Amino acid sequence: MPVTAEKVTRPSLKTRVMRANVFHAPGRFGLEEKPVPVPGPGEARVRVRLTTICGTDIHIVKGEYPVKPGLTIGHEAVGVIDELGPGITGYQIGQRVLVGAITPCGQCEPCLSGNTSQCGGPLGGWRLGNTIDGVQADFVIVPCAQANLALIPDRLSDEQVLFLADIASTGFSAAENGGVRLGDTVAVFAQGPIGLCATLGAKLMGAAHILVVDTDPDRLHMAKILGASALLLAEGDVVQEIREFTDGRGVDVAIEALGTQPTFENALRVLRPGGTLSSVGVYSGHLQIPAEAFGAGLADHRIVTTLCPGGKARMRRLMALVESGRVDLTPLLTHSFPLDDIGRAYELFESRRDGAGAGRISLEERLLALDDAFPAAAAPLVHGRGGLVLALERRLVDGGGRNGRDPRQQEQRGQSLSHRRALPALARSPTPSRGQ
């Protein structure tokens, strides 16, 4: 079903109404006026400065993931505290905060057991843009605010912390929950934004070799920048290539970041005995486990799944990585839109998932414009100080070469992708779109 957005006249906040991107039915969503919400006990109202669209939002507007009509979409935001409800202490109006996609209460049995993403029950930590109004709006109510308002250090920009709310937290957790250890060999299937963050997460955890698989050479190039040691183009028998790379041993951890049957099976087939498959893909329909790939249940394989970790403690730790210089996700940002153009941003997002090109759009002066002839791949949308930002996987690197590329980097990229071991193959699978 085509994804379209309905337009309305921009409202005035003086009348205590705000703009919000509202879902009504499959294929029907768009900006409309809503009352500015009032925070209740334990809540805070945040004025949104920057947000994203994730692939899950596309599933919602297409009707592939059910939510109630009238819901405001979106679940990742940077903003400023606008009003505090009763019971919130230690915060002040005007402070800049990062709001994670997952907003746990910190008090229920799952939270106290350390499973904050499952707050209150299965998938319960995902409230914003799922069970309550989300962040693609001028204002948002943050539930359980005491546990979820993460103060942003002054030296960090909105753009530096934007992806920590969901994409980075999810991607890093794939490596964490997969139990990546010093010296491990890790395979990461799919290099969309979450897969790229999983690659970076494996590097942060101390993996010695990180093999990445994707259908797109430019995503593979970005993975190389983030720490991948071997780039596998998904066009043939990638399982055999990974087996050869590991001298028949298999990998210690395989991360599946797409959410399809073929990539799940391939991740399982490359594991060593006793290895771990860490899945952050979102699956639809039935998922099958081939008996031979699973060692008939006797190979001591471990399969773990993860929903994005949230809460202010998690956000604080992630921001510490950025502040120390160990993590820089700003290359993943390329596009900027005003909130009033959210429909056009969704259309661009969807066209990129389908492999279409795009016009020249820039994100502030410090990033290069995107060239028509060099389309970027999928990811998220955004509302920021004056606008929305479509955070797409960045295909351009700083430099003066053709299409914004430094010729030396082009040459290095060609060399890395032409080496046989760096260009294995896999039965062609859909272009990665998770997280997209």
Side-chain angles (χ1 to χ4, degrees):
M1 176 178 300
V3 175
T4 58
E6 302 166 351
K7 284 197 171 184
V8 299
T9 304
R10 178 171 178 168
S12 169
L13 293 179
K14 294 181 180 179
T15 62
R16 304 311 296 163
V17 296
M18 66 175 188
R19 299 167 297 167
N21 185 32
V22 180
F23 170 82
H24 287 291
R28 290 187 56 234
F29 71 99
L31 285 184
E32 61 182 62
E33 294 183 6
K34 274 191 170 185
V36 173
V38 178
E43 299 176 338
R45 183 173 68 218
V46 169
R47 177 172 57 84
V48 178
R49 286 158 58 107
L50 195 66
T51 184
T52 69
I53 309 176
C54 126
T56 305
D57 300 323
I58 296 295
H59 290 306
I60 288 173
V61 300
K62 285 187 168 185
E64 297 168 352
Y65 182 90
V67 298
K68 62 185 179 183
L71 182 81
T72 300
I73 308 168
H75 53 264
E76 307 155 84
V78 174
V80 173
I81 297 174
D82 188 69
E83 186 174 341
L84 296 168
I88 301 300
T89 61
Y91 293 96
Q92 297 178 0
I93 292 174
Q95 287 181 310
R96 197 163 50 109
V97 291
L98 173 64
V99 179
I102 303 300
T103 52
C105 71
Q107 301 297 318
C108 67
E109 181 179 353
C111 284
L112 295 176
S113 299
N115 299 312
T116 55
S117 300
Q118 311 301 324
C119 173
L123 309 184
W126 177 28
R127 295 180 171 90
L128 295 171
N130 181 24
T131 58
I132 64 174
D133 279 342
V135 301
Q136 289 173 13
D138 290 307
F139 296 92
V140 64
I141 293 295
V142 178
C144 311
Q146 196 73 46
N148 292 296
L149 294 177
L151 296 177
I152 301 173
D154 290 340
R155 72 186 82 183
L156 296 182
S157 69
D158 292 357
E159 291 80 6
Q160 284 179 291
V161 302
L162 173 63
F163 278 157
L164 303 179
D166 182 7
I167 292 169
S169 188
T170 300
F172 292 174
S173 69
E176 294 171 278
N177 290 349
V180 175
R181 299 182 299 175
L182 294 175
D184 272 356
T185 297
V186 177
V188 185
F189 288 81
Q191 291 296 288
I194 283 182
L196 287 167
C197 288
T199 296
L200 179 55
K203 177 183 177 181
L204 290 170
M205 296 290 288
H209 302 288
I210 306 171
L211 293 70
V212 299
V213 181
D214 200 280
T215 59
D216 189 325
D218 297 293
R219 285 183 169 183
L220 293 175
H221 180 53
M222 179 62 74
K224 183 70 174 177
I225 294 172
L226 295 179
S229 50
L231 314 178
L232 289 72
L233 191 60
E235 289 183 344
D237 189 356
V238 74
V239 172
Q240 180 62 29
E241 293 285 350
I242 292 177
R243 286 287 177 183
E244 290 179 5
F245 187 96
T246 59
D247 295 323
R249 173 180 178 271
V251 301
D252 300 289
V253 179
I255 296 174
E256 202 287 305
L258 180 57
T260 68
Q261 181 71 38
T263 50
F264 180 88
E265 281 192 32
N266 285 327
L268 192 59
R269 292 180 188 279
V270 301
L271 286 177
R272 66 163 173 81
T276 299
L277 192 162
S278 178
S279 171
V280 285
V282 178
Y283 303 92
S284 59
H286 296 288
L287 185 65
Q288 298 179 337
I289 299 178
E292 76 282 3
F294 200 48
L298 303 175
D300 289 331
H301 288 148
R302 188 169 69 107
I303 300 175
V304 297
T305 63
T306 301
L307 175 61
C308 171
K312 69 179 181 183
R314 174 70 171 183
M315 297 300 108
R316 179 189 63 78
R317 288 178 177 273
L318 295 177
M319 285 190 285
L321 288 173
V322 175
E323 193 170 19
S324 68
R326 298 195 68 195
V327 169
D328 178 14
L329 299 176
T330 55
L332 299 181
L333 290 167
T334 61
H335 290 71
S336 178
F337 287 89
L339 180 57
D340 286 333
D341 285 344
I342 193 169
R344 189 164 61 92
Y346 265 82
E347 290 170 3
L348 176 61
F349 179 96
E350 183 65 14
S351 70
R352 292 195 181 285
R353 293 180 70 219
D354 293 338
R360 299 179 59 87
I361 307 170
S362 63
L363 171 64
E364 301 187 354
E365 61 279 358
R366 62 185 176 80
L367 293 184
L368 295 173
L370 182 66
D371 193 277
D372 293 5
F374 209 80
L381 167 66
V382 166
H383 171 188
R385 298 165 281 188
L388 278 174
V389 174
L390 184 58
L392 300 181
E393 178 185 324
R394 191 180 182 199
R395 301 283 188 94
L396 299 181
V397 293
D398 293 333
R402 184 175 180 271
N403 290 334
R405 294 181 180 273
D406 187 311
R408 292 168 298 179
Q409 291 171 319
Q410 284 184 301
E411 181 180 357
Q412 292 169 359
R413 172 176 169 271
Q415 290 173 351
S416 66
L417 291 180
S418 63
H419 191 285
R420 173 160 172 75
R421 177 153 286 185
L423 267 186
L426 151 82
R428 184 174 292 278
S429 58
T431 300
S433 59
R434 167 73 174 91
Q436 293 156 5

